[in-house]
Each structure stands twice: as C-alpha cells, then as structure tokens.
C-alpha cells in the first residue's frame, strides 16, 4: 500500500459518491492505494450513500468510519491513524480527482525520493457557473489553487491547500498531525489554517514542500451557497486561525500579522478601485470585503 487517501466528510451526500467514483476509476491499480471516508457527524444521508456506493463498487479498499469530535482536523487525524500507506493524501468530500491523480502522486514521490510533503492543483467547478463578482484574489476562498505551471518547490512561506495535500505518514506523526486547536468548521464558527500550520511545522524541520500541477482535483462550488454569511465565515476563519497560530508563537508575531493584514487591506482597496476603473465594478467590493473579514477574524474574539 503506497497511498492512503483520507476524505473528511460533513453533509456532502450529494457529492461524496462522485468523489469516490473518481478514485475508483483511477489509472493506478486499486491495490496501490486505500481510501478512508471519515464522517464528521453528518446529518444528511452520507452513511447510506456510502453503503449503496460500496455495494456497487466492491473492489479496492474503501472504508467508512466516523469521528464524533467536530472539526476537519479531528477527522483527518482519525483517518491518518487508520492509514497503512506510506503517504497520506487529504482531499475534500466534494473534490473530484483527475483520472491520473494517484498515478501522478506515486510518480512524484519516485522523482523526488527525499520529499516529505507536497500538494497539487485545485480547480473550482462552479455550479451552475462562475459568478461575475469572482476574481483571482477572492477565489482562494472556494479552493482555487494554481501555484505554478510546472512542478516546483514552494517559496516564501507558501504551502498546499487542505483539499489536495500529501505528506509522509512518518513525518505527519513526527510533527503531531493536525492541530485540533485549528479544527476548521465547528457549527457556524470556523477556525482555519490547519494545513498551513501543519506544513510550517514540517518546514521548521528543514524540509522543502513541493507543488505539482499534474496532481489535480476539481472542487465543487455551489454558487447559491456563496452567501455573505458563508464568505464571512470562511474569511474570518482564516483570520481566527492566524490569531491562534501566531499567538502561540509570541505576541510580537501576532502584532506583525495584524500589521500585515492592514497592509493587505490597503492593497485590496487599491485593487478594488482598479477593478472599478477597468469596468468590472462587481469584482471591486468582494476583494475589499475579503480583507475586512479576515482582519475581523484576526482581531476579534
């Protein structure tokens, strides 16, 4: 077993079947990887969807389990404990892997034998279509991630996003896995940054983290759910996560992050004005609102 794919799932009965089928139909042999669906207290039909899907897809190693402590960090850590593969791959329950996803993960580890962590491209699949207010500077909130055109090391503190990241199980255990003080979504509250903190711990050991665009997933984005409340929860969750992470380091690190976010807000205002002058007023305010909301999460309670 080379790769263990861990899917933290919460109320995605509509999409978990398609995510699993994409993994079932990989170009890589089913004997090279295993899949764990960790149900994190879903209240929809996710358990029955998995059961029906499994009955019609009997081959390979696809396992359903539960994690009662709410939050993606808890669920991912549970999947990691069950995993038997050398590599842990974390994707979302509405992420549709490309057909050569696993094949390219294995190829990347063979090309870089000393690597311990890497991640790939994430392309939003907007349903029904990309909203006119969406821009590159806001799309990170819906998982858009395309760091470079070719495989390359991450630089300047950059790192993979949670819905498409791979890490050595040995190193994952060495750094203590995901920090449950950054659990992700808990009810209506989000405290994000769990992936960032994980990779920063790995980088602190002297390791280089890589990006490989050939390792690709499509991330389903239901446009009707992109309400102001939802976007605030995501953006402010980024700020809350940074508050927790930097305060653990020092008050100086926290103050530095506040100053950084203030500069980013200023840059967002300039960018918003630029969009308006270019005839794209719909893109103006969301860019600014994103930075306001992250700052609120950073300095709020």
């Amino acid at each position: 077993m080379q790769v263990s794919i861990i899917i933290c799932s919460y109320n995605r009965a509509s999409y978990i079947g398609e995510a699993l089928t994409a993994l079932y139909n990989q170009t890589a042999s089913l004997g090279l990887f295993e899949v764990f669906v960790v149900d994190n207290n879903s209240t929809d039909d996710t358990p029955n969807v998995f059961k029906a899907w499994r009955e019609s897809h009997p081959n390979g190693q696809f396992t359903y389990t539960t994690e009662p402590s709410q939050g993606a960090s808890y669920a991912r850590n549970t999947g990691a404990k069950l995993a038997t593969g050398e590599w842990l791959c974390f994707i979302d329950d509405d992420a549709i892997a490309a057909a050569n996803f696993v094949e390219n993960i294995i190829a990347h580890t063979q090309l870089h034998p000393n690597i311990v962590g890497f991640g790939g491209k994430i392309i939003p699949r907007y349903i029904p279509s990309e909203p006119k207010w969406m821009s590159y500077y806001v799309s990170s909130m819906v998982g858009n991630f395309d760091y470079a055109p070719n495989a390359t090391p991450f630089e300047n503190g950059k790192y993979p996003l949670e819905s498409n990241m791979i890490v050595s199980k040995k190193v994952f255990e060495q750094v203590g896995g995901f920090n449950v003080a950054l659990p992700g979504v808990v009810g209506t509250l989000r405290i994000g940054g769990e992936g960032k903190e994980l990779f920063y711990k790995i980088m602190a050991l002297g390791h280089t983290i890589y990006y490989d665009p050939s390792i690709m997933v499509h991330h389903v984005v239901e446009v009707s759910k992109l309400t102001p409340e939802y976007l605030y929860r995501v953006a402010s969750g980024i700020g809350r996560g940074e508050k927790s992470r930097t305060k653990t380091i020092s008050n100086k690190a926290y103050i530095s992050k506040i100053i950084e976010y203030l500069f980013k807000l200023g840059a967002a205002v300039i960018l918003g004005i630029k969009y308006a002058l270019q005839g794209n007023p719909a893109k103006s305010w969301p860019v600014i609102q994103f930075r306001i909301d992250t700052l609120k999460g950073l300095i709020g309670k």
Side-chain angles (χ1 to χ4, degrees), residues 126 130 133-144 235 238 264 267-272 274-275 278 283-291 294:
Y126 294 102
E130 180 176 334
W133 54 262
M134 185 62 68
S135 69
Y136 170 81
Y137 300 96
V138 178
S139 63
S140 61
M141 286 199 290
V142 296
N144 183 43
I238 295 171
K264 286 184 175 180
V269 171
I270 294 172
L271 183 62
K274 182 179 178 181
Y275 274 130
Q278 290 176 338
K283 297 181 185 292
S284 296
W285 183 248
V287 173
I288 300 170
Q289 188 70 62
F290 173 38
R291 288 301 170 188
T294 54

PDB file of all heavy atoms in Angstrom, residues 126 130 133-144 235 238 264 267-272 274-275 278 283-291 294:
ATOM      1  N   TYR A 126     -17.647  25.445 -10.716  1.00  0.00           N
ATOM      2  CA  TYR A 126     -18.778  26.257 -10.282  1.00  0.00           C
ATOM      3  C   TYR A 126     -20.094  25.675 -10.797  1.00  0.00           C
ATOM      4  O   TYR A 126     -20.216  25.340 -11.966  1.00  0.00           O
ATOM      5  CB  TYR A 126     -18.621  27.691 -10.788  1.00  0.00           C
ATOM      6  CG  TYR A 126     -17.445  28.425 -10.183  1.00  0.00           C
ATOM      7  CD1 TYR A 126     -16.258  28.585 -10.912  1.00  0.00           C
ATOM      8  CD2 TYR A 126     -17.511  28.967  -8.905  1.00  0.00           C
ATOM      9  CE1 TYR A 126     -15.173  29.263 -10.367  1.00  0.00           C
ATOM     10  CE2 TYR A 126     -16.433  29.643  -8.362  1.00  0.00           C
ATOM     11  CZ  TYR A 126     -15.267  29.787  -9.095  1.00  0.00           C
ATOM     12  OH  TYR A 126     -14.205  30.464  -8.551  1.00  0.00           O
ATOM     13  N   GLU A 130     -19.439  30.320 -12.891  1.00  0.00           N
ATOM     14  CA  GLU A 130     -18.668  31.243 -12.067  1.00  0.00           C
ATOM     15  C   GLU A 130     -19.405  32.573 -11.930  1.00  0.00           C
ATOM     16  O   GLU A 130     -19.825  33.165 -12.923  1.00  0.00           O
ATOM     17  CB  GLU A 130     -17.291  31.472 -12.692  1.00  0.00           C
ATOM     18  CG  GLU A 130     -16.410  32.419 -11.890  1.00  0.00           C
ATOM     19  CD  GLU A 130     -15.025  32.559 -12.481  1.00  0.00           C
ATOM     20  OE1 GLU A 130     -14.562  31.615 -13.168  1.00  0.00           O
ATOM     21  OE2 GLU A 130     -14.398  33.619 -12.268  1.00  0.00           O
ATOM     22  N   TRP A 133     -18.844  38.306  -9.896  1.00  0.00           N
ATOM     23  CA  TRP A 133     -18.051  39.037  -8.907  1.00  0.00           C
ATOM     24  C   TRP A 133     -16.782  38.296  -8.489  1.00  0.00           C
ATOM     25  O   TRP A 133     -15.938  38.842  -7.774  1.00  0.00           O
ATOM     26  CB  TRP A 133     -18.890  39.357  -7.667  1.00  0.00           C
ATOM     27  CG  TRP A 133     -19.555  38.154  -7.049  1.00  0.00           C
ATOM     28  CD1 TRP A 133     -20.835  37.752  -7.235  1.00  0.00           C
ATOM     29  CD2 TRP A 133     -18.964  37.215  -6.141  1.00  0.00           C
ATOM     30  NE1 TRP A 133     -21.095  36.610  -6.497  1.00  0.00           N
ATOM     31  CE2 TRP A 133     -19.962  36.264  -5.820  1.00  0.00           C
ATOM     32  CE3 TRP A 133     -17.702  37.073  -5.566  1.00  0.00           C
ATOM     33  CZ2 TRP A 133     -19.726  35.193  -4.950  1.00  0.00           C
ATOM     34  CZ3 TRP A 133     -17.460  36.007  -4.701  1.00  0.00           C
ATOM     35  CH2 TRP A 133     -18.471  35.084  -4.403  1.00  0.00           C
ATOM     36  N   MET A 134     -16.640  37.068  -8.950  1.00  0.00           N
ATOM     37  CA  MET A 134     -15.480  36.274  -8.563  1.00  0.00           C
ATOM     38  C   MET A 134     -14.226  36.793  -9.258  1.00  0.00           C
ATOM     39  O   MET A 134     -14.237  37.129 -10.443  1.00  0.00           O
ATOM     40  CB  MET A 134     -15.706  34.802  -8.918  1.00  0.00           C
ATOM     41  CG  MET A 134     -14.594  33.866  -8.450  1.00  0.00           C
ATOM     42  SD  MET A 134     -14.407  33.833  -6.653  1.00  0.00           S
ATOM     43  CE  MET A 134     -15.940  33.030  -6.161  1.00  0.00           C
ATOM     44  N   SER A 135     -13.137  36.838  -8.516  1.00  0.00           N
ATOM     45  CA  SER A 135     -11.849  37.232  -9.077  1.00  0.00           C
ATOM     46  C   SER A 135     -10.767  36.327  -8.506  1.00  0.00           C
ATOM     47  O   SER A 135     -11.001  35.578  -7.544  1.00  0.00           O
ATOM     48  CB  SER A 135     -11.520  38.693  -8.737  1.00  0.00           C
ATOM     49  OG  SER A 135     -11.264  38.842  -7.347  1.00  0.00           O
ATOM     50  N   TYR A 136      -9.601  36.400  -9.084  1.00  0.00           N
ATOM     51  CA  TYR A 136      -8.469  35.586  -8.624  1.00  0.00           C
ATOM     52  C   TYR A 136      -8.197  35.827  -7.145  1.00  0.00           C
ATOM     53  O   TYR A 136      -7.882  34.894  -6.396  1.00  0.00           O
ATOM     54  CB  TYR A 136      -7.227  35.928  -9.452  1.00  0.00           C
ATOM     55  CG  TYR A 136      -5.946  35.333  -8.903  1.00  0.00           C
ATOM     56  CD1 TYR A 136      -5.614  34.009  -9.163  1.00  0.00           C
ATOM     57  CD2 TYR A 136      -5.084  36.099  -8.122  1.00  0.00           C
ATOM     58  CE1 TYR A 136      -4.447  33.454  -8.653  1.00  0.00           C
ATOM     59  CE2 TYR A 136      -3.917  35.555  -7.611  1.00  0.00           C
ATOM     60  CZ  TYR A 136      -3.601  34.240  -7.877  1.00  0.00           C
ATOM     61  OH  TYR A 136      -2.444  33.697  -7.355  1.00  0.00           O
ATOM     62  N   TYR A 137      -8.362  37.055  -6.679  1.00  0.00           N
ATOM     63  CA  TYR A 137      -7.993  37.424  -5.317  1.00  0.00           C
ATOM     64  C   TYR A 137      -9.018  36.963  -4.279  1.00  0.00           C
ATOM     65  O   TYR A 137      -8.732  36.984  -3.083  1.00  0.00           O
ATOM     66  CB  TYR A 137      -7.793  38.939  -5.228  1.00  0.00           C
ATOM     67  CG  TYR A 137      -6.711  39.412  -6.162  1.00  0.00           C
ATOM     68  CD1 TYR A 137      -7.028  39.908  -7.425  1.00  0.00           C
ATOM     69  CD2 TYR A 137      -5.373  39.325  -5.811  1.00  0.00           C
ATOM     70  CE1 TYR A 137      -6.040  40.322  -8.305  1.00  0.00           C
ATOM     71  CE2 TYR A 137      -4.373  39.734  -6.682  1.00  0.00           C
ATOM     72  CZ  TYR A 137      -4.719  40.230  -7.929  1.00  0.00           C
ATOM     73  OH  TYR A 137      -3.731  40.615  -8.801  1.00  0.00           O
ATOM     74  N   VAL A 138     -10.171  36.544  -4.730  1.00  0.00           N
ATOM     75  CA  VAL A 138     -11.205  36.043  -3.834  1.00  0.00           C
ATOM     76  C   VAL A 138     -11.365  34.528  -3.974  1.00  0.00           C
ATOM     77  O   VAL A 138     -11.814  33.851  -3.054  1.00  0.00           O
ATOM     78  CB  VAL A 138     -12.555  36.748  -4.130  1.00  0.00           C
ATOM     79  CG1 VAL A 138     -13.666  36.213  -3.247  1.00  0.00           C
ATOM     80  CG2 VAL A 138     -12.411  38.249  -3.935  1.00  0.00           C
ATOM     81  N   SER A 139     -10.959  33.998  -5.109  1.00  0.00           N
ATOM     82  CA  SER A 139     -11.226  32.590  -5.428  1.00  0.00           C
ATOM     83  C   SER A 139     -10.526  31.604  -4.506  1.00  0.00           C
ATOM     84  O   SER A 139     -10.889  30.431  -4.456  1.00  0.00           O
ATOM     85  CB  SER A 139     -10.836  32.291  -6.883  1.00  0.00           C
ATOM     86  OG  SER A 139      -9.441  32.483  -7.089  1.00  0.00           O
ATOM     87  N   SER A 140      -9.522  32.060  -3.757  1.00  0.00           N
ATOM     88  CA  SER A 140      -8.887  31.156  -2.797  1.00  0.00           C
ATOM     89  C   SER A 140      -9.880  30.687  -1.740  1.00  0.00           C
ATOM     90  O   SER A 140      -9.731  29.607  -1.166  1.00  0.00           O
ATOM     91  CB  SER A 140      -7.697  31.841  -2.117  1.00  0.00           C
ATOM     92  OG  SER A 140      -8.116  32.986  -1.393  1.00  0.00           O
ATOM     93  N   MET A 141     -10.930  31.486  -1.495  1.00  0.00           N
ATOM     94  CA  MET A 141     -11.941  31.103  -0.506  1.00  0.00           C
ATOM     95  C   MET A 141     -12.764  29.908  -0.969  1.00  0.00           C
ATOM     96  O   MET A 141     -13.404  29.243  -0.150  1.00  0.00           O
ATOM     97  CB  MET A 141     -12.858  32.286  -0.194  1.00  0.00           C
ATOM     98  CG  MET A 141     -12.208  33.346   0.664  1.00  0.00           C
ATOM     99  SD  MET A 141     -13.422  34.423   1.459  1.00  0.00           S
ATOM    100  CE  MET A 141     -14.034  35.337   0.052  1.00  0.00           C
ATOM    101  N   VAL A 142     -12.788  29.644  -2.269  1.00  0.00           N
ATOM    102  CA  VAL A 142     -13.520  28.477  -2.777  1.00  0.00           C
ATOM    103  C   VAL A 142     -12.540  27.408  -3.264  1.00  0.00           C
ATOM    104  O   VAL A 142     -12.917  26.497  -3.993  1.00  0.00           O
ATOM    105  CB  VAL A 142     -14.500  28.875  -3.901  1.00  0.00           C
ATOM    106  CG1 VAL A 142     -15.569  29.814  -3.353  1.00  0.00           C
ATOM    107  CG2 VAL A 142     -13.785  29.522  -5.082  1.00  0.00           C
ATOM    108  N   GLY A 143     -11.293  27.530  -2.844  1.00  0.00           N
ATOM    109  CA  GLY A 143     -10.323  26.467  -3.094  1.00  0.00           C
ATOM    110  C   GLY A 143      -9.503  26.594  -4.346  1.00  0.00           C
ATOM    111  O   GLY A 143      -8.700  25.704  -4.650  1.00  0.00           O
ATOM    112  N   ASN A 144      -9.671  27.660  -5.117  1.00  0.00           N
ATOM    113  CA  ASN A 144      -8.872  27.796  -6.338  1.00  0.00           C
ATOM    114  C   ASN A 144      -7.393  27.865  -5.992  1.00  0.00           C
ATOM    115  O   ASN A 144      -6.975  28.668  -5.158  1.00  0.00           O
ATOM    116  CB  ASN A 144      -9.285  29.064  -7.089  1.00  0.00           C
ATOM    117  CG  ASN A 144      -8.527  29.212  -8.400  1.00  0.00           C
ATOM    118  OD1 ASN A 144      -8.360  28.250  -9.139  1.00  0.00           O
ATOM    119  ND2 ASN A 144      -8.079  30.421  -8.692  1.00  0.00           N
ATOM    120  N   ALA A 235     -13.666  33.714   5.409  1.00  0.00           N
ATOM    121  CA  ALA A 235     -12.621  34.738   5.515  1.00  0.00           C
ATOM    122  C   ALA A 235     -12.236  34.997   6.964  1.00  0.00           C
ATOM    123  O   ALA A 235     -11.045  35.054   7.305  1.00  0.00           O
ATOM    124  CB  ALA A 235     -13.091  36.028   4.843  1.00  0.00           C
ATOM    125  N   ILE A 238     -10.053  32.344   8.432  1.00  0.00           N
ATOM    126  CA  ILE A 238      -8.638  32.471   8.113  1.00  0.00           C
ATOM    127  C   ILE A 238      -7.961  33.353   9.159  1.00  0.00           C
ATOM    128  O   ILE A 238      -6.893  33.034   9.689  1.00  0.00           O
ATOM    129  CB  ILE A 238      -8.447  33.051   6.698  1.00  0.00           C
ATOM    130  CG1 ILE A 238      -8.992  32.095   5.645  1.00  0.00           C
ATOM    131  CG2 ILE A 238      -6.967  33.358   6.428  1.00  0.00           C
ATOM    132  CD1 ILE A 238      -9.049  32.679   4.243  1.00  0.00           C
ATOM    133  N   LYS A 264      -2.486  44.490   3.636  1.00  0.00           N
ATOM    134  CA  LYS A 264      -3.235  43.757   2.623  1.00  0.00           C
ATOM    135  C   LYS A 264      -4.600  44.399   2.385  1.00  0.00           C
ATOM    136  O   LYS A 264      -5.099  44.399   1.258  1.00  0.00           O
ATOM    137  CB  LYS A 264      -3.401  42.293   3.044  1.00  0.00           C
ATOM    138  CG  LYS A 264      -2.112  41.481   2.916  1.00  0.00           C
ATOM    139  CD  LYS A 264      -2.338  40.011   3.254  1.00  0.00           C
ATOM    140  CE  LYS A 264      -1.070  39.210   3.002  1.00  0.00           C
ATOM    141  NZ  LYS A 264      -1.235  37.767   3.324  1.00  0.00           N
ATOM    142  N   ALA A 267      -3.989  47.306   0.140  1.00  0.00           N
ATOM    143  CA  ALA A 267      -3.766  46.841  -1.232  1.00  0.00           C
ATOM    144  C   ALA A 267      -5.080  46.425  -1.881  1.00  0.00           C
ATOM    145  O   ALA A 267      -5.297  46.642  -3.083  1.00  0.00           O
ATOM    146  CB  ALA A 267      -2.778  45.673  -1.228  1.00  0.00           C
ATOM    147  N   ALA A 268      -5.987  45.840  -1.076  1.00  0.00           N
ATOM    148  CA  ALA A 268      -7.281  45.414  -1.605  1.00  0.00           C
ATOM    149  C   ALA A 268      -8.123  46.618  -2.025  1.00  0.00           C
ATOM    150  O   ALA A 268      -8.844  46.562  -3.025  1.00  0.00           O
ATOM    151  CB  ALA A 268      -8.026  44.587  -0.554  1.00  0.00           C
ATOM    152  N   VAL A 269      -8.043  47.707  -1.262  1.00  0.00           N
ATOM    153  CA  VAL A 269      -8.770  48.919  -1.626  1.00  0.00           C
ATOM    154  C   VAL A 269      -8.276  49.449  -2.970  1.00  0.00           C
ATOM    155  O   VAL A 269      -9.071  49.810  -3.849  1.00  0.00           O
ATOM    156  CB  VAL A 269      -8.615  50.001  -0.536  1.00  0.00           C
ATOM    157  CG1 VAL A 269      -9.187  51.334  -1.013  1.00  0.00           C
ATOM    158  CG2 VAL A 269      -9.306  49.556   0.753  1.00  0.00           C
ATOM    159  N   ILE A 270      -6.963  49.472  -3.143  1.00  0.00           N
ATOM    160  CA  ILE A 270      -6.389  49.924  -4.418  1.00  0.00           C
ATOM    161  C   ILE A 270      -6.829  49.010  -5.556  1.00  0.00           C
ATOM    162  O   ILE A 270      -7.202  49.476  -6.642  1.00  0.00           O
ATOM    163  CB  ILE A 270      -4.850  49.961  -4.314  1.00  0.00           C
ATOM    164  CG1 ILE A 270      -4.417  51.032  -3.305  1.00  0.00           C
ATOM    165  CG2 ILE A 270      -4.226  50.232  -5.687  1.00  0.00           C
ATOM    166  CD1 ILE A 270      -2.937  51.004  -2.992  1.00  0.00           C
ATOM    167  N   LEU A 271      -6.813  47.704  -5.295  1.00  0.00           N
ATOM    168  CA  LEU A 271      -7.225  46.746  -6.320  1.00  0.00           C
ATOM    169  C   LEU A 271      -8.704  46.915  -6.660  1.00  0.00           C
ATOM    170  O   LEU A 271      -9.102  46.835  -7.829  1.00  0.00           O
ATOM    171  CB  LEU A 271      -6.941  45.323  -5.840  1.00  0.00           C
ATOM    172  CG  LEU A 271      -7.250  44.196  -6.815  1.00  0.00           C
ATOM    173  CD1 LEU A 271      -6.408  44.327  -8.080  1.00  0.00           C
ATOM    174  CD2 LEU A 271      -6.988  42.837  -6.160  1.00  0.00           C
ATOM    175  N   GLY A 272      -9.532  47.157  -5.636  1.00  0.00           N
ATOM    176  CA  GLY A 272     -10.955  47.361  -5.866  1.00  0.00           C
ATOM    177  C   GLY A 272     -11.208  48.580  -6.740  1.00  0.00           C
ATOM    178  O   GLY A 272     -12.064  48.548  -7.631  1.00  0.00           O
ATOM    179  N   LYS A 274      -9.129  49.769  -8.875  1.00  0.00           N
ATOM    180  CA  LYS A 274      -8.644  49.398 -10.211  1.00  0.00           C
ATOM    181  C   LYS A 274      -9.697  48.621 -10.987  1.00  0.00           C
ATOM    182  O   LYS A 274      -9.943  48.886 -12.172  1.00  0.00           O
ATOM    183  CB  LYS A 274      -7.362  48.579 -10.076  1.00  0.00           C
ATOM    184  CG  LYS A 274      -6.745  48.171 -11.402  1.00  0.00           C
ATOM    185  CD  LYS A 274      -5.464  47.374 -11.183  1.00  0.00           C
ATOM    186  CE  LYS A 274      -4.874  46.919 -12.519  1.00  0.00           C
ATOM    187  NZ  LYS A 274      -3.625  46.120 -12.319  1.00  0.00           N
ATOM    188  N   TYR A 275     -10.354  47.653 -10.317  1.00  0.00           N
ATOM    189  CA  TYR A 275     -11.414  46.888 -10.979  1.00  0.00           C
ATOM    190  C   TYR A 275     -12.534  47.821 -11.446  1.00  0.00           C
ATOM    191  O   TYR A 275     -13.065  47.675 -12.554  1.00  0.00           O
ATOM    192  CB  TYR A 275     -11.979  45.823 -10.038  1.00  0.00           C
ATOM    193  CG  TYR A 275     -11.212  44.520 -10.034  1.00  0.00           C
ATOM    194  CD1 TYR A 275     -10.811  43.927  -8.836  1.00  0.00           C
ATOM    195  CD2 TYR A 275     -10.916  43.856 -11.218  1.00  0.00           C
ATOM    196  CE1 TYR A 275     -10.119  42.726  -8.821  1.00  0.00           C
ATOM    197  CE2 TYR A 275     -10.224  42.652 -11.212  1.00  0.00           C
ATOM    198  CZ  TYR A 275      -9.823  42.092 -10.015  1.00  0.00           C
ATOM    199  OH  TYR A 275      -9.142  40.907 -10.004  1.00  0.00           O
ATOM    200  N   GLN A 278     -11.596  49.728 -14.452  1.00  0.00           N
ATOM    201  CA  GLN A 278     -11.496  48.859 -15.631  1.00  0.00           C
ATOM    202  C   GLN A 278     -12.850  48.400 -16.135  1.00  0.00           C
ATOM    203  O   GLN A 278     -12.928  47.644 -17.108  1.00  0.00           O
ATOM    204  CB  GLN A 278     -10.629  47.635 -15.297  1.00  0.00           C
ATOM    205  CG  GLN A 278      -9.152  47.949 -15.102  1.00  0.00           C
ATOM    206  CD  GLN A 278      -8.356  46.729 -14.673  1.00  0.00           C
ATOM    207  OE1 GLN A 278      -8.901  45.755 -14.141  1.00  0.00           O
ATOM    208  NE2 GLN A 278      -7.049  46.762 -14.897  1.00  0.00           N
ATOM    209  N   LYS A 283     -16.482  43.134  -9.245  1.00  0.00           N
ATOM    210  CA  LYS A 283     -15.335  42.497  -8.605  1.00  0.00           C
ATOM    211  C   LYS A 283     -14.702  43.369  -7.521  1.00  0.00           C
ATOM    212  O   LYS A 283     -13.855  42.900  -6.758  1.00  0.00           O
ATOM    213  CB  LYS A 283     -14.266  42.161  -9.655  1.00  0.00           C
ATOM    214  CG  LYS A 283     -14.695  41.160 -10.717  1.00  0.00           C
ATOM    215  CD  LYS A 283     -13.556  40.892 -11.695  1.00  0.00           C
ATOM    216  CE  LYS A 283     -13.991  39.990 -12.844  1.00  0.00           C
ATOM    217  NZ  LYS A 283     -14.283  38.635 -12.400  1.00  0.00           N
ATOM    218  N   SER A 284     -15.095  44.620  -7.452  1.00  0.00           N
ATOM    219  CA  SER A 284     -14.429  45.581  -6.572  1.00  0.00           C
ATOM    220  C   SER A 284     -14.637  45.289  -5.094  1.00  0.00           C
ATOM    221  O   SER A 284     -13.684  45.067  -4.347  1.00  0.00           O
ATOM    222  CB  SER A 284     -14.903  47.007  -6.882  1.00  0.00           C
ATOM    223  OG  SER A 284     -14.544  47.385  -8.180  1.00  0.00           O
ATOM    224  N   TRP A 285     -15.908  45.303  -4.657  1.00  0.00           N
ATOM    225  CA  TRP A 285     -16.160  45.205  -3.230  1.00  0.00           C
ATOM    226  C   TRP A 285     -15.800  43.837  -2.632  1.00  0.00           C
ATOM    227  O   TRP A 285     -15.259  43.784  -1.509  1.00  0.00           O
ATOM    228  CB  TRP A 285     -17.606  45.561  -2.906  1.00  0.00           C
ATOM    229  CG  TRP A 285     -17.852  45.523  -1.421  1.00  0.00           C
ATOM    230  CD1 TRP A 285     -18.621  44.647  -0.719  1.00  0.00           C
ATOM    231  CD2 TRP A 285     -17.265  46.387  -0.443  1.00  0.00           C
ATOM    232  NE1 TRP A 285     -18.569  44.903   0.625  1.00  0.00           N
ATOM    233  CE2 TRP A 285     -17.738  45.972   0.822  1.00  0.00           C
ATOM    234  CE3 TRP A 285     -16.386  47.480  -0.520  1.00  0.00           C
ATOM    235  CZ2 TRP A 285     -17.365  46.611   2.007  1.00  0.00           C
ATOM    236  CZ3 TRP A 285     -16.009  48.116   0.662  1.00  0.00           C
ATOM    237  CH2 TRP A 285     -16.496  47.673   1.902  1.00  0.00           C
ATOM    238  N   PRO A 286     -16.044  42.708  -3.305  1.00  0.00           N
ATOM    239  CA  PRO A 286     -15.676  41.420  -2.706  1.00  0.00           C
ATOM    240  C   PRO A 286     -14.201  41.314  -2.324  1.00  0.00           C
ATOM    241  O   PRO A 286     -13.864  40.693  -1.313  1.00  0.00           O
ATOM    242  CB  PRO A 286     -16.043  40.410  -3.798  1.00  0.00           C
ATOM    243  CG  PRO A 286     -17.157  41.056  -4.534  1.00  0.00           C
ATOM    244  CD  PRO A 286     -16.809  42.517  -4.557  1.00  0.00           C
ATOM    245  N   VAL A 287     -13.321  41.928  -3.109  1.00  0.00           N
ATOM    246  CA  VAL A 287     -11.889  41.904  -2.795  1.00  0.00           C
ATOM    247  C   VAL A 287     -11.624  42.640  -1.484  1.00  0.00           C
ATOM    248  O   VAL A 287     -10.870  42.171  -0.631  1.00  0.00           O
ATOM    249  CB  VAL A 287     -11.084  42.555  -3.941  1.00  0.00           C
ATOM    250  CG1 VAL A 287      -9.614  42.684  -3.551  1.00  0.00           C
ATOM    251  CG2 VAL A 287     -11.218  41.750  -5.220  1.00  0.00           C
ATOM    252  N   ILE A 288     -12.280  43.785  -1.326  1.00  0.00           N
ATOM    253  CA  ILE A 288     -12.104  44.575  -0.104  1.00  0.00           C
ATOM    254  C   ILE A 288     -12.762  43.882   1.088  1.00  0.00           C
ATOM    255  O   ILE A 288     -12.192  43.797   2.178  1.00  0.00           O
ATOM    256  CB  ILE A 288     -12.696  45.990  -0.304  1.00  0.00           C
ATOM    257  CG1 ILE A 288     -11.991  46.698  -1.469  1.00  0.00           C
ATOM    258  CG2 ILE A 288     -12.590  46.811   0.981  1.00  0.00           C
ATOM    259  CD1 ILE A 288     -12.649  47.992  -1.898  1.00  0.00           C
ATOM    260  N   GLN A 289     -13.983  43.363   0.868  1.00  0.00           N
ATOM    261  CA  GLN A 289     -14.712  42.695   1.948  1.00  0.00           C
ATOM    262  C   GLN A 289     -13.937  41.490   2.479  1.00  0.00           C
ATOM    263  O   GLN A 289     -13.925  41.220   3.690  1.00  0.00           O
ATOM    264  CB  GLN A 289     -16.086  42.253   1.452  1.00  0.00           C
ATOM    265  CG  GLN A 289     -16.993  41.711   2.557  1.00  0.00           C
ATOM    266  CD  GLN A 289     -17.441  42.816   3.509  1.00  0.00           C
ATOM    267  OE1 GLN A 289     -18.108  43.759   3.103  1.00  0.00           O
ATOM    268  NE2 GLN A 289     -17.098  42.681   4.785  1.00  0.00           N
ATOM    269  N   PHE A 290     -13.291  40.761   1.594  1.00  0.00           N
ATOM    270  CA  PHE A 290     -12.491  39.606   1.984  1.00  0.00           C
ATOM    271  C   PHE A 290     -11.436  40.006   3.007  1.00  0.00           C
ATOM    272  O   PHE A 290     -11.266  39.369   4.049  1.00  0.00           O
ATOM    273  CB  PHE A 290     -11.849  39.002   0.733  1.00  0.00           C
ATOM    274  CG  PHE A 290     -10.862  37.899   0.997  1.00  0.00           C
ATOM    275  CD1 PHE A 290     -11.074  36.957   1.997  1.00  0.00           C
ATOM    276  CD2 PHE A 290      -9.715  37.788   0.226  1.00  0.00           C
ATOM    277  CE1 PHE A 290     -10.163  35.931   2.228  1.00  0.00           C
ATOM    278  CE2 PHE A 290      -8.792  36.775   0.452  1.00  0.00           C
ATOM    279  CZ  PHE A 290      -9.018  35.855   1.461  1.00  0.00           C
ATOM    280  N   ARG A 291     -10.745  41.115   2.739  1.00  0.00           N
ATOM    281  CA  ARG A 291      -9.681  41.549   3.640  1.00  0.00           C
ATOM    282  C   ARG A 291     -10.236  42.137   4.938  1.00  0.00           C
ATOM    283  O   ARG A 291      -9.640  41.988   6.004  1.00  0.00           O
ATOM    284  CB  ARG A 291      -8.783  42.560   2.929  1.00  0.00           C
ATOM    285  CG  ARG A 291      -7.911  41.922   1.866  1.00  0.00           C
ATOM    286  CD  ARG A 291      -7.036  40.853   2.475  1.00  0.00           C
ATOM    287  NE  ARG A 291      -6.349  40.032   1.476  1.00  0.00           N
ATOM    288  CZ  ARG A 291      -5.664  38.940   1.793  1.00  0.00           C
ATOM    289  NH1 ARG A 291      -5.580  38.542   3.046  1.00  0.00           N
ATOM    290  NH2 ARG A 291      -5.078  38.239   0.839  1.00  0.00           N
ATOM    291  N   THR A 294     -11.192  38.985   7.020  1.00  0.00           N
ATOM    292  CA  THR A 294     -10.036  38.271   7.601  1.00  0.00           C
ATOM    293  C   THR A 294      -9.467  39.076   8.768  1.00  0.00           C
ATOM    294  O   THR A 294      -9.069  38.488   9.793  1.00  0.00           O
ATOM    295  CB  THR A 294      -8.939  38.039   6.545  1.00  0.00           C
ATOM    296  OG1 THR A 294      -8.571  39.279   5.933  1.00  0.00           O
ATOM    297  CG2 THR A 294      -9.401  37.075   5.478  1.00  0.00           C
TER     298      THR A 294
END
